[in-house]
Amino acid sequence: MSESMEQKLSQAMAELEAVQNAVAHAEGELSRATATVRSRDRVVEATVGPQGELTGLKFLDGKHQSMTGPQLAASILEAADEGRAQMARKVMDMFAPLAQGSGGATGVRGVDIDWERAFGSAFDGGPGSGMRRSAGDRLRDEIHEDADDTLPRGR
């Protein structure tokens, strides 16, 4: 093997090892990561783990006692969905540098990550794209529409 080829192989192996180390570091950081979010109405606080799983749920200040079931469900879903979205952004922020490798002279490129496949239900698309409308928002809209239907007409 020529010296030039050996240098390229050595450089590619060093890049691969650096990527493996970066992935291991990111996985270690994320294994301990959580996101804690309150619903907009400040009734519910949800904590979400690194894989988007709900790990904690608190009802704040007894406000939930005066809510209907659908209203409380909407608050829970809203907080949980936002927590999942925050965790998806944390994961993307940790792994984005690995996905943006240029390849350089060795031809080794960054990891190709399908963000939509990884976070489809929690996050829409890649960095900088907008959030999907949450189930909590949809349910809250339905609750408000139903409440309007029960108001007396013509007043």
Side-chain angles (χ1 to χ4, degrees):
M1 203 179 319
S2 72
E3 188 173 324
S4 172
M5 189 60 107
E6 286 177 13
Q7 288 174 335
K8 285 183 180 182
L9 181 58
S10 176
Q11 186 176 355
M13 292 301 292
E15 286 182 27
L16 178 59
E17 186 175 334
V19 168
Q20 288 172 330
N21 290 336
V23 168
H25 175 73
E27 287 175 343
E29 292 274 323
L30 289 173
S31 70
R32 297 178 298 276
T34 61
T36 300
V37 178
R38 288 187 178 182
S39 59
R40 283 187 302 249
D41 58 14
R42 319 265 309 147
V43 172
V44 175
E45 183 178 274
T47 302
V48 177
Q51 295 180 333
E53 71 278 13
L54 190 61
T55 60
L57 189 63
K58 291 182 184 178
F59 299 104
L60 306 171
D61 302 327
K63 296 175 186 176
H64 68 284
Q65 294 174 352
S66 63
M67 299 175 80
T68 65
Q71 289 171 326
L72 181 56
S75 292
I76 292 169
L77 288 173
E78 175 192 317
D81 284 350
E82 180 58 27
R84 290 178 62 224
Q86 283 188 17
M87 282 307 304
R89 285 191 293 271
K90 281 183 185 181
V91 170
M92 289 177 68
D93 289 347
M94 292 289 277
F95 284 99
L98 299 175
Q100 297 170 353
S102 65
T106 63
V108 175
R109 291 190 179 10
V111 179
D112 186 22
I113 300 173
D114 184 351
W115 298 117
E116 179 68 26
R117 186 171 147 231
F119 302 112
S121 64
F123 193 76
D124 186 15
S129 65
M131 297 299 301
R132 288 186 178 177
R133 191 165 174 228
S134 74
D137 288 341
R138 290 188 303 274
L139 184 55
R140 188 175 312 283
D141 288 348
E142 290 297 320
I143 292 168
H144 289 297
E145 288 172 9
D146 289 347
D148 292 342
D149 292 343
T150 62
L151 295 174
R153 302 277 181 209
R155 282 194 177 188

